[in-house]
Amino acid sequence: MDFKLNRFFYLMRWTLARSKKSMVVIAASFTGVLLFLMGMAVTGAENLKDYHVILERICGMGMYMFFLFLIVSPSFLMANYKRRQGTLAYLSIPASSFEKYLSRFLLVTVIWGCCLIVGYLIFDLLQFIIASIAIGHEAELSTFSYLLNSKVPFFNIDGTDSLKTLLFVWLLLIWFQSIYALGGTFLRRFQWIFVSVILLVALIIFLSWATGTGARSVATWLWEHKEQLPLYRIILCSVIALFIIVNYRLSYRFFKRTQVIQNKWFNV
């Protein structure tokens, strides 16, 4: 893979300059959604004495929306290929395919994720100002108080077992990211919708199997071999890591095969 740091740095600067509008839209949209949810929650509340409880629930919903967005966002890797002119402009950039792929991946995951954080901070400031005027001393900023709360599952570390669980959860998150990244480069239209439908069908099939004798048989087998559970966990994590590598590798190969052809459903 041809990679030069200086060239990649200039490519990232160009990518950010071309993506200012989308970044503003994402941050503003997330702020608007949170304000709407807060307004609905406050309107439906009988009183505002427990305003901090309402705020905590909204912040929890915002956090889960944030992680859901992180999972789905890799499906927008080729969002800039929708028009022929944009595709030509991007393919003609003097940079390697790996540098272009990495810059797009960092944009749709890290940069857009930071835009959500900015949107959340703006929401937190606005709700504090409005609540200070409406209810006075009950108003509070939730940003750090909620993130540092032990109820947040993605940051809850309490002993070795919790750390293992946390690492496994993050590994699953990266695995789902890789699935959406593969779908985002293999498909050229409505990527996140098709991938979500496929995952939903797979979940329904799994639940249908789990509600039968399958899950109970596996649980019984695991109980009979509970002494080997740490080994099985390592094997499971290794298999998931292997799938992550394969998915990202295939995603990159599909990305390299991009052509200036419109009205295509598959990038092959």
Side-chain angles (χ1 to χ4, degrees), residues 65-74 109-110 113 170 173 177:
M65 291 168 59
F66 171 77
F67 283 102
L68 181 62
F69 181 85
L70 286 185
I71 293 174
V72 177
S73 61
T109 55
V110 178
W170 278 98
L173 186 145
Q177 266 193 340

Side-chain angles (χ1 to χ4, degrees), residues 17-36:
R18 291 290 296 269
S19 306
K20 289 180 180 178
K21 182 178 179 180
S22 63
M23 293 163 60
V24 173
V25 169
I26 290 172
S29 300
F30 193 54
T31 302
V33 169
L34 292 177
L35 287 174
F36 174 77

Side-chain angles (χ1 to χ4, degrees), residues 134-152:
I135 61 177
H137 66 279
E138 291 290 334
E140 62 177 336
L141 290 170
S142 65
T143 303
F144 297 103
S145 62
Y146 187 78
L147 288 179
L148 297 179
N149 194 302
S150 59
K151 296 180 181 179
V152 181

Side-chain angles (χ1 to χ4, degrees), residues 52-80:
H52 65 282
V53 176
I54 299 175
L55 182 60
E56 183 175 301
R57 292 175 180 174
I58 298 299
C59 294
M61 294 177 60
M63 178 165 291
Y64 284 108
M65 291 168 59
F66 171 77
F67 283 102
L68 181 62
F69 181 85
L70 286 185
I71 293 174
V72 177
S73 61
S75 61
F76 299 99
L77 277 168
M78 297 180 63
N80 58 334

Side-chain angles (χ1 to χ4, degrees), residues 236-255:
L236 178 60
C237 291
S238 300
V239 172
I240 294 177
L242 179 62
F243 274 112
I244 291 173
I245 295 173
V246 172
N247 288 340
Y248 277 123
R249 180 63 181 175
L250 289 176
S251 174
Y252 173 63
R253 290 179 66 87
F254 284 126
F255 184 86

Side-chain angles (χ1 to χ4, degrees), residues 102-120:
L102 184 59
S103 66
R104 286 294 303 175
F105 182 80
L106 291 178
L107 173 68
V108 300
T109 55
V110 178
I111 304 300
W112 285 4
C114 291
C115 292
L116 290 186
I117 295 176
V118 171
Y120 176 83

